[in-house]
Amino acid sequence: DAGVIQSPRHEVTEMGQEVTLRCKPISGHDYLFWYRQTMMRGLELLIYFNNNVPIDDSGMPEDRFSAKMPNASFSTLKIQPSEPRDSAVYFCASRRTGMPLLPYEQFFGPGTRLTVL
Amino acid sequence: KQEVTQIPAALSVPEGENLVLNCSFTDSAIYNLQWFRQDPGKGLTSLLLIQSSQREQTSGRLNASLDKSSGRSTLYIAASQPGDSATYLCAVDTGTASKLTFGTGTRLQVTL
């Protein structure tokens, strides 16, 4: 298994531009998570999906952020318009539902390092 | 609101030493606790997951313990090696369907 795949690995853009980050979860995993990591705030959950349906987006910082999961093997996180304070590493993670009451580990992708100038 | 604290923030030890990393959380009603390793510029690698009903988990030279009532977990690394140098993060799942709250991490350096 290739693990969670994210693209691009690095993105440099100018303020005001649209940014789209992509994620392919591990095959068979039914949960997908988007996190953001910064020096100031550490790792924060932005949104997560279960069976392609957004369950909790309370961590999405602003309306400029949106996420979609059109199918079980693909998700996007979009920032429009981007701002310098959005500069961070964005991680995607996935997990598989286990037996009742048996939690499963989250597996993380390598991240996308976003720099907004 | 769950808060997760890790102490120390940074640690440097000579190769071969046994060491303990600490993680504390404010809400003891957790579903599980997970320890991760993060190498510079890389993603997170899951090391150990302890369910709320368990007291400890072991994997090779790593042993993680959980004391829910006191809101604490420790990660014990035996016979440390330079390859163990990384940032170690603990994360707790408070049972609201997989919402992990992460600590700020302990940056470990193992020197020759």
Side-chain angles (χ1 to χ4, degrees):
Chain A
D1 196 325
V4 177
I5 298 173
Q6 291 186 248
S7 65
R9 294 294 310 277
H10 302 273
E11 177 81 27
V12 180
T13 191
E14 293 189 348
M15 183 174 63
Q17 295 298 305
E18 178 179 295
V19 175
T20 299
L21 311 181
R22 297 172 176 80
C23 175
K24 176 179 169 58
I26 294 172
S27 177
H29 283 196
D30 56 343
Y31 278 84
L32 183 140
F33 307 83
W34 282 100
Y35 291 89
R36 178 172 66 175
Q37 186 176 40
T38 62
M39 288 292 293
M40 290 296 294
R41 300 174 68 88
L43 260 166
E44 300 174 291
L45 177 67
L46 300 177
I47 185 173
Y48 76 92
F49 296 82
N50 178 217
N51 291 324
N52 313 337
V53 176
I55 303 300
D56 188 336
D57 65 355
S58 60
M60 296 284 261
E62 299 172 35
D63 292 344
R64 298 183 296 105
F65 286 69
S66 63
K68 295 182 179 179
M69 192 165 185
N71 56 62
S73 59
F74 184 65
S75 177
T76 59
L77 178 67
K78 185 175 295 186
I79 309 172
Q80 166 63 16
S82 58
E83 297 183 3
R85 60 195 168 116
D86 301 331
S87 298
V89 180
Y90 291 81
F91 289 102
C92 177
S94 69
R95 60 156 269 199
R96 176 174 63 90
T97 298
M99 295 165 54
L101 302 182
L102 186 65
Y104 275 79
E105 299 169 61
Q106 290 191 23
F107 296 88
F108 281 69
T112 295
R113 182 173 296 277
L114 173 64
T115 302
V116 183
L117 303 173
Chain B
K1 179 186 174 184
Q2 179 74 272
E3 293 184 4
V4 183
T5 305
Q6 291 187 246
I7 296 174
L11 181 64
S12 181
V13 300
E15 181 180 15
E17 273 202 11
N18 303 324
L19 57 100
V20 174
L21 308 181
N22 297 292
C23 173
S24 61
F25 44 95
T26 55
D27 185 350
S28 61
I30 68 169
Y31 200 51
N32 63 61
L33 183 145
Q34 199 166 353
W35 281 94
F36 293 88
R37 166 187 174 137
Q38 184 174 28
D39 293 282
K42 302 289 181 61
L44 280 68
T45 301
S46 178
L47 297 174
L48 290 164
L49 184 149
I50 310 176
Q51 298 176 45
S52 61
S53 58
Q54 298 175 323
R55 298 280 296 182
E56 65 178 326
Q57 281 285 341
T58 298
S59 176
R61 294 182 295 107
L62 306 179
N63 176 277
S65 66
L66 174 64
D67 185 342
K68 272 184 53 178
S69 60
S70 65
R72 294 181 182 180
S73 176
T74 61
L75 179 66
Y76 176 83
I77 303 177
S80 58
Q81 304 171 358
D84 295 330
S85 298
T87 295
Y88 290 81
L89 295 154
C90 71
V92 297
D93 179 353
T94 52
T96 54
S98 301
K99 291 183 70 172
L100 290 180
T101 302
F102 280 84
T104 49
T106 294
R107 190 170 65 254
L108 172 66
Q109 183 175 12
V110 181
T111 58
L112 292 171

